[in-house]
């Protein structure tokens, strides 16, 4: 898929089929995340790939709006140091998700509001935190997961010139 | 450019020629930023496009490592609410930069350490902050700006399965 098209057509959606994500697809997605730039090239992000049903079930309890996690064939937890930059996590996660979209996969970020829960479920040592979990899989048919996220404010509301 | 190729070959570089960025190129870059997803679709980011030399010169004084800003033909300040998520700013900035790369443009994020300075230079009202400035332009020839940023830890250092 063309890069510009992939970027501007990517929507955060969370309706998935049961079809597994192929290893080569997943590897490209992860490679995309790995290659994201970071401040001072510190490379603060690590990715925990979660495909065990029982682990997904436990992880679903670590967020306020994450009960749907088990419906995703694969989740990728983006882990950073406790004092790491969420900006860099956002860069890596966007790479993961745009690359997934280019592979024909749907994806959606989900926040782990209960930090200790996520660290415990994934066996992550102290000094780290889960910046985000990216759920992905082949897109399902539920159109309700597509509409609202497509809405954007007008271009001219987004952009100013030289001064606010 | 192919999406996966654009994502994995994007490097943060800051060597630019004097060539101006064409309006249609810049518009696609900004559109890419606009279409980035955000938590609850809050769309927290706004983009201030800076191409006036005197404004770039003033902005160069707002960061600890930003003296090179005037060498970039265009800068895009990504502005979010004071309590906005840097994660979402990272998603938008990555879209800006990967789209720029797909257009053949080099780009590099630069931090505004002196927050009030950046708000003042750009006339941004209280209650906001500059999450990042993305500098962009046609790539220059300085190879020293390319090497280190290309280095990445091995794939297997980045990725774990189900448990840390």
């Amino acid at each position: 898929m063309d890069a510009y098209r992939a970027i501007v057509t990517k929507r955060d959606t969370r309706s998935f089929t049961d079809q597994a994500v192929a290893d080569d697809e997943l590897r490209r997605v992860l490679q995309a995340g790995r290659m994201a730039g970071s401040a001072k090239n510190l490379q603060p992000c690590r990715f925990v790939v979660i495909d065990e049903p029982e682990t997904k079930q436990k992880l679903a309890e670590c967020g306020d709006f994450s009960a749907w996690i088990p419906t995703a064939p694969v989740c990728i937890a983006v882990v950073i140091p406790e004092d790491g930059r969420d900006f860099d996590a956002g860069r890596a996660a966007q790479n993961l998700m745009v690359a997934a979209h280019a592979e024909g996969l749907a994806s959606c970020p989900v926040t782990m509001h209960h930090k200790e829960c996520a660290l415990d479920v994934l066996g992550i040592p102290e000094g780290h935190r889960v910046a985000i979990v990216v759920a992905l899989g082949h897109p399902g048919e539920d159109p309700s997961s597509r509409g609202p996220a497509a809405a954007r404010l007008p271009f001219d509301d987004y952009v100013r010139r030289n001064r606010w």
Side-chain angles (χ1 to χ4, degrees), chain A:
Chain A
M1 190 187 296
D2 172 68
Y4 179 71
R5 180 175 166 75
I7 291 168
V8 299
T9 63
K10 197 284 178 207
R11 298 290 176 279
D12 296 346
T13 59
R14 56 191 200 200
S15 173
F16 306 106
T17 70
D18 292 336
Q19 185 183 348
V21 175
D23 286 346
D24 60 333
E25 292 173 333
L26 183 58
R27 188 172 177 101
R28 282 191 291 273
V29 168
L30 292 164
Q31 172 68 352
R34 172 179 174 245
M35 296 310 292
S38 56
K40 301 176 188 167
N41 198 29
L42 284 174
Q43 306 181 71
C45 299
R46 297 294 180 273
F47 308 125
V48 182
V49 176
I50 304 128
D51 57 4
E52 291 175 349
E54 59 272 33
T55 306
K56 286 188 282 182
Q57 193 62 55
K58 287 178 185 170
L59 204 61
E61 297 168 15
C62 300
D64 290 342
F65 308 104
S66 54
W68 54 274
I69 277 183
T71 67
V74 180
C75 290
I76 301 170
V78 179
V79 182
I80 59 175
E82 186 61 55
D83 62 353
R85 293 188 184 206
D86 285 289
F87 180 83
D88 286 337
R91 294 186 68 183
Q94 190 67 4
N95 269 12
L96 293 172
M97 292 191 284
V98 174
H101 179 53
E103 297 284 335
L105 299 168
S107 64
C108 192
V110 53
T111 300
M112 299 286 94
H113 299 87
H114 314 299
K115 296 182 178 185
E116 294 300 326
C117 175
L119 296 181
D120 184 52
V121 168
L122 299 176
I124 298 168
E126 288 297 317
H128 299 79
R129 59 192 173 91
V130 177
I132 205 79
V133 170
V134 173
L136 72 160
H138 291 271
E141 294 299 320
D142 180 6
S144 68
S145 72
R146 292 172 176 275
R152 294 290 184 272
L153 295 171
F155 185 88
D156 289 341
D157 285 3
Y158 264 92
V159 179
R160 290 125 206 259
R161 291 273 173 172
N162 289 298
R163 297 277 295 176
W164 179 269

